[in-house]
Amino acid sequence: MKIRLDKICHARSGDKGDTGNVGLIALKKEYYPIIEKHVTAQRVQKHFEGIVLGNVERFELPNLWALNFLLHNALGGGGTKSLKNDAQGKTLSAALLRMEIEVEEKEVKL
Amino acid sequence: MKDKIRIASGQGFWGDLLTAPVDQVTKGPVDYMMMDYLAEVTMSIMQKQKLKDPKLGYAKDLVELFEKILPICVEKNIKVITNGGGVNPLACSEAILEVARRLGISKLKIGIVLGDDILDNIDELMKQGIELKNMESGESLKSIRAKLQSANVYFGAFPVVEALTKGAQIVITGRTTDTGLTLAPMIYEFGWKESDWDKLAAGTVAGHILECGGQASGGNFSADWRSVPDIAHIGFPIAEAYPDGEIVITKHDNTGGLVSQQTVKEQLLYEIGNPKEYITPDCVADFTTIQLEDAGKNRVKVFGVKGRPATEYCKVSMSYLDGYTAIGTLTYSWPDALEKAQKADEVLRTRLSDLHLEFEEVRSEFMGYNSCHGPLVPKMNELNEVVLRVGVRSQDYKAVERFGKELAPLILTGPPAVTGFAGGRPKPSEVISYWPALIPKKAVKPEVVIKEV
């Protein structure tokens, strides 16, 4: 079954230069293995096609039930150079929460 | 030695909620208040102000704020630590001393941390072989040397500790790290050593939680945002620190907002890179070792933090002039709002092209439709209204200025049902680009000055 990430996660995003970061946090401990398995750097790269022009890096923080994504070259130059309304990537978190993953029904109890 | 200290977060950026620091020193017990004012481009904005007037170049909000809080801080013996000194901590301290004199306060010691501003020493440093290459692109500083606006070394907690040791009640710094402002009082009060890596990392983590003010206590909270009580009167976070490095994040009882594991987690993940290597001048903190636990209502315990030795380098934050931008908007209403806005964009681009103006980028976004999530958004058939937002960037000031004159004519010479031009022509503004670099710690010298009224 398909599940949208906002059903099982919360998130916050910000910027460092032209790189956006998104912290994706499972709402429950049992959801962490699901996002660890399904929300890979490759999947996120594909999701952000046309927004993230560089590569996507993923780091795991199982202690916080969280993944941290670095989205390189994603902010139109960053800082005062960027012409984007969201020059600091504040809404990239919500953009990641739009992503759908395909999971086995037994994997997740909502 | 005290068995615990309470450090309050008063400001998370230059422009934050002005009532927060007043609430922090009046609504409950605190021993210290830290206030972070500096973002990546803030220093260059302050540098420009200082060039116009040598008495400026710091967060001017501090003067008005200290008029309100200084008598309270003196009475309750609350120490205040802030990097709002910007590029002119001396002028900032003079302004605060003047407030103290006006209020009849005496025997107040202000500690000032200097030495982070290396703009005047750049050529000397480069001669010594310190290249200050862009740590992201690897480019040589020579390519932008002539356009350099500001250059500041990130100092850690220890210069602030020195100021506290010398009896300062107020500590004003320039480019001290956000985390150092919170870590410093813990080092000072608990006698932590420069090699107590786990404790320094714990204090650094506390600093990261406090450095964005209300963002740790219910602000910008993405989980169940509706559940945050009385966010209008949000209480900023407070770190209750213990000598062994354990921290409890909390807030004053009679305030709004929320401190929960979820609000703390969101802030822990804010603007971090590799979580195993959170690098500051004081230590390298490992965010994958942080443990959280509920410790009562609006109380979250933070423990188990591991740290590693600091590196031999400090980060330098530099900025340089990099052309001009202008951004303008027009609002299109139903019916066919998006189609009209798209047509207007096409007309504008045709006219700009006819004028042969040189732009590095022309960017159009349709607010109400795709300005946040771009290609991720689903197609919409019927929007009530759309704001066309067009931005241009160029090294040529005149091109950017001319763009500003091409937007308004669309009202009478483009698609219909258009409004929202009350702000006038978009004016060119300078692009300040950021140049991060590394400098060996041996090449920088923090200096602590104490002034007294």
Side-chain angles (χ1 to χ4, degrees), chain A residues 10-13 15 21 25 27 47 59 61 63-66 68 80-81 83-85 90-91 95 98, chain B residues 215 219-220 222 265-267 269-273 275 287-288 290 363 365 371 373 376 378 389 393 432:
Chain A
H10 58 129
R12 176 167 292 171
S13 55
D15 68 315
N21 106 292
I25 309 159
L27 285 166
H47 178 68
F59 301 96
L61 299 95
N63 53 320
L64 303 178
W65 317 341
N68 183 41
T80 62
K81 190 173 187 176
L83 300 175
K84 290 189 164 192
N85 184 24
K90 299 281 184 190
T91 70
R98 298 182 93 116
Chain B
Q215 233 192 181
N220 192 23
S222 98
K265 279 182 188 179
E266 283 194 18
Q267 180 53 27
L269 283 145
Y270 182 65
E271 291 181 352
I272 63 165
F287 275 37
T288 68
I290 299 168
R363 185 181 176 85
E365 294 177 332
S371 84
H373 294 171
L376 295 179
R389 182 182 187 276
R393 186 177 63 247
I432 296 154

Side-chain angles (χ1 to χ4, degrees), chain A residues 3-46:
Chain A
I3 188 162
R4 209 173 60 192
L5 287 180
D6 67 321
K7 303 293 177 207
I8 56 170
C9 294
H10 58 129
R12 176 167 292 171
S13 55
D15 68 315
K16 275 271 181 286
D18 197 23
T19 297
N21 106 292
V22 184
L24 181 73
I25 309 159
L27 285 166
K28 292 180 183 173
K29 194 177 182 181
E30 57 264 36
Y31 298 159
Y32 177 72
I34 301 170
I35 60 169
E36 194 193 24
K37 181 175 164 193
H38 294 283
V39 190
T40 60
Q42 277 162 317
R43 282 294 323 275
V44 173
Q45 183 101 49
K46 180 102 184 75

Side-chain angles (χ1 to χ4, degrees), chain B residues 113-129:
Chain B
V113 177
L114 302 169
D116 63 302
D117 189 343
I118 56 166
L119 187 61
D120 294 338
N121 316 340
I122 291 290
D123 297 320
E124 183 56 34
L125 288 165
M126 286 173 85
K127 257 186 231 159
Q128 289 170 26

